[in-house]
Amino acid sequence: MKRTHLFSLLLVSLMNAPVAAAADAKQATISPALYQKIQSTDRLIADKAYGKAEQKLLAMVGEVKAGGLDQAVVLRSLASVYALKEQYAKATEWLSKAVTLNTLPDKQQQDALLNLGQLYLAAEQYAKAIETLKPWLAKNPVPDAQTHVLLANAYTQLKQYRNALPHISKAIQSTAKPEDSWYQLQLALFYELKDYQSAIPLLRKLMAANPTKNEYWSQLVAVYQQTNQYTQAATVKHLAYKKGLLNSEKEILDLVNLFLYAGLPYKAGSVLRSELDANRVASTVKNWELLANAWKQARELEKAVQALETASKLDDKGSLYQQLGQIYYEQENWNAAIAAMNKALAKGGLKQPGQAYMILGMSYYESNNTEQARQSFAKAKGFPSNRKNAEQWLSYLNKTNETS
């Protein structure tokens, strides 16, 4: 839990409560002499002279009668000084002694218990914080929002997430304007408990209140993905994109890939082509190949071919030209297939060069160029995986030549 001055402010207000104003079965007032000394230390504390206040209070500890209200008040004030100095371990030590005496008026005893729980939390003694607050909760069954937050943080630190969640939820429900950190804690608890469905409306609420905070948009996308709601995830991310919240190349490419995963390839292609034209996405082999794949999935073959042409020119290997040649062959665009396959073989680096020669040979054949077809099949024959098909084609060409 983040250490703020919240603890200090509470301690100043609660520990220096006017004991003389209390009236119950216990001794309600401290001695006049001690009252004057406490007022003196209060002024030092107000002037932030914590060292001097500490010295005076330590001297008083040895002077007051043990076991009475006077001692409890001095111990409580000393704890207050240590809390203001952010020496929480010492503060808990002294305040615990004051509480154990059980001589403070009831209201102040309850306030001291609450303060002690806060101090244990600040000192990162979370189990003690919860244990200390149990008697306080027994007398205060409807805690205020801050106490719920205190308990939620303590349980969270102990990884008792199911115990923490009701407290932070009650804190939020009981406050007109909950702090943002409370929502963040509730959201974190939903994540820890894998209650992603409950996280969705909370994130939508946070987004409505903070429409330009990219963090919430990203978290909602992630939750939708976690729950296999990819179309919703893509829709939210696309909306963030249209609002200008996605500015880096990585964020834009993440959107493109999410569209593809959600089965929305046309939207993926549209966004990527627009960003390539705007130079917000780099003109690389990988990105143009991604665009080609998007258009292919969208059955926009002409656009896919154009993108693959660009990718092939940028690539230092011939594999993309081979893919392009395959597409042209399937479209029965023989001349284009021949040109692409020759470029693929010239660039080299092919994983299946034999297959490239086969496509080249068949394209030449369909173009009535049997001699070039024969030469291509002869080269394909040199690759074991293509040898059988190449021999069959060569045999066919020989028979065709004999009968012509």
Side-chain angles (χ1 to χ4, degrees), residues 151-171:
L151 287 163
N153 275 287
Y155 279 120
T156 299
Q157 294 295 336
L158 294 174
K159 298 184 178 181
Q160 297 180 25
Y161 305 123
R162 292 196 184 280
N163 290 331
L165 184 57
H167 286 290
I168 196 62
S169 298
K170 287 176 183 177

Side-chain angles (χ1 to χ4, degrees), residues 355-404:
Q355 185 62 22
Y357 281 118
M358 287 297 301
I359 296 295
L360 183 60
M362 290 185 286
S363 298
Y364 275 128
Y365 174 79
E366 296 293 348
S367 300
N368 296 317
N369 192 337
T370 55
E371 182 55 34
Q372 289 288 352
R374 193 188 307 279
Q375 291 179 22
S376 298
F377 291 133
K379 290 178 180 178
K381 185 180 173 181
F383 297 90
S385 60
N386 302 100
R387 181 171 297 135
K388 184 177 180 180
N389 286 340
E391 288 176 344
Q392 289 174 345
W393 267 100
L394 287 168
S395 177
Y396 172 75
L397 291 176
N398 289 334
K399 288 178 182 178
T400 303
N401 188 48
E402 290 172 1
T403 58
S404 61

Side-chain angles (χ1 to χ4, degrees), residues 58-363:
L58 283 171
M60 290 183 214
V61 170
E63 296 170 357
V64 295
K65 181 181 178 182
L69 176 61
D70 286 9
Q71 185 183 27
V73 169
V74 172
L75 295 175
R76 185 182 60 180
S77 295
L78 186 56
S80 174
V81 170
Y82 285 126
L84 289 167
K85 294 174 71 175
E86 297 187 7
Q87 296 179 16
Y88 299 119
K90 284 187 176 182
T92 57
E93 177 187 350
W94 291 104
L95 188 55
S96 177
K97 291 178 180 178
V99 168
T100 301
L101 291 174
N102 196 26
T103 56
L104 290 168
D106 282 345
K107 176 64 170 64
Q108 294 182 36
Q109 180 74 6
Q110 294 305 307
D111 289 343
L113 276 172
L114 178 58
N115 273 260
L116 183 58
Q118 292 171 321
L119 284 169
Y120 276 132
L121 186 62
E124 301 181 359
Q125 298 182 53
Y126 307 113
K128 281 190 175 182
I130 294 169
E131 182 183 349
T132 300
L133 287 172
K134 284 181 179 178
W136 187 89
L137 287 169
K139 284 200 172 185
N140 301 271
V142 185
D144 60 11
Q146 288 290 351
T147 305
H148 278 303
V149 173
L150 170 72
L151 287 163
N153 275 287
Y155 279 120
T156 299
Q157 294 295 336
L158 294 174
K159 298 184 178 181
Q160 297 180 25
Y161 305 123
R162 292 196 184 280
N163 290 331
L165 184 57
H167 286 290
I168 196 62
S169 298
K170 287 176 183 177
I172 291 170
Q173 292 165 7
S174 65
T175 308
K177 292 184 178 180
E179 295 180 20
D180 188 62
S181 61
W182 299 3
Y183 285 121
Q184 288 290 346
L185 177 55
Q186 187 182 41
L187 189 60
L189 292 171
F190 284 142
Y191 290 156
E192 291 290 351
L193 296 170
K194 294 182 170 53
D195 186 2
Y196 302 115
Q197 287 302 133
S198 295
I200 291 171
L202 174 56
L203 281 166
R204 286 193 171 279
K205 182 176 182 178
L206 291 171
M207 284 166 54
N210 306 273
T212 60
K213 194 164 185 177
N214 198 5
E215 177 186 355
Y216 294 141
W217 291 83
S218 299
Q219 287 184 43
L220 183 56
V221 170
V223 168
Y224 275 132
Q225 288 178 290
Q226 187 68 40
T227 55
N228 298 320
Q229 299 180 68
Y230 295 104
T231 300
Q232 290 91 329
T235 300
V236 171
K237 199 169 187 72
H238 192 211
L239 185 57
Y241 166 75
K242 290 193 288 186
K243 286 180 174 290
L245 298 177
L246 306 185
N247 297 305
S248 71
E249 181 181 77
K250 181 183 181 305
E251 290 173 324
I252 294 167
L253 290 175
D254 284 345
L255 172 60
V256 170
N257 283 301
L258 184 54
F259 271 138
L260 290 173
Y261 198 86
L264 301 166
Y266 191 88
K267 287 188 175 181
S270 298
V271 168
L272 183 52
R273 183 58 202 252
S274 173
E275 293 298 335
L276 281 164
D277 290 344
N279 294 319
R280 293 215 306 163
V281 168
S283 180
T284 64
V285 174
K286 185 176 180 181
N287 290 337
W288 282 104
E289 187 179 5
L290 178 62
L291 179 60
N293 288 333
W295 289 137
K296 278 198 296 185
Q297 289 182 40
R299 301 182 185 276
E300 295 283 343
L301 293 182
E302 187 174 335
K303 292 180 178 179
V305 166
Q306 292 173 357
L308 202 53
E309 280 275 13
T310 303
S312 300
K313 291 174 184 177
L314 294 171
D315 197 4
D316 58 357
K317 294 182 180 179
S319 57
L320 293 180
Y321 270 124
Q322 185 173 4
Q323 287 183 40
L324 190 60
Q326 181 73 40
I327 293 173
Y328 283 135
Y329 176 78
E330 291 169 358
Q331 292 178 331
E332 299 184 1
N333 188 342
W334 314 121
N335 290 333
I338 290 167
M341 283 303 178
N342 276 322
K343 288 178 180 178
L345 290 163
K347 278 196 170 186
L350 303 181
K351 292 182 179 179
Q352 295 180 310
Q355 185 62 22
Y357 281 118
M358 287 297 301
I359 296 295
L360 183 60
M362 290 185 286
S363 298

Side-chain angles (χ1 to χ4, degrees), residues 40-56:
S40 174
T41 57
D42 284 349
R43 286 191 291 271
L44 291 172
I45 291 171
D47 293 337
K48 298 184 179 180
Y50 303 135
K52 291 181 179 179
E54 177 188 358
Q55 291 175 0
K56 289 198 170 205

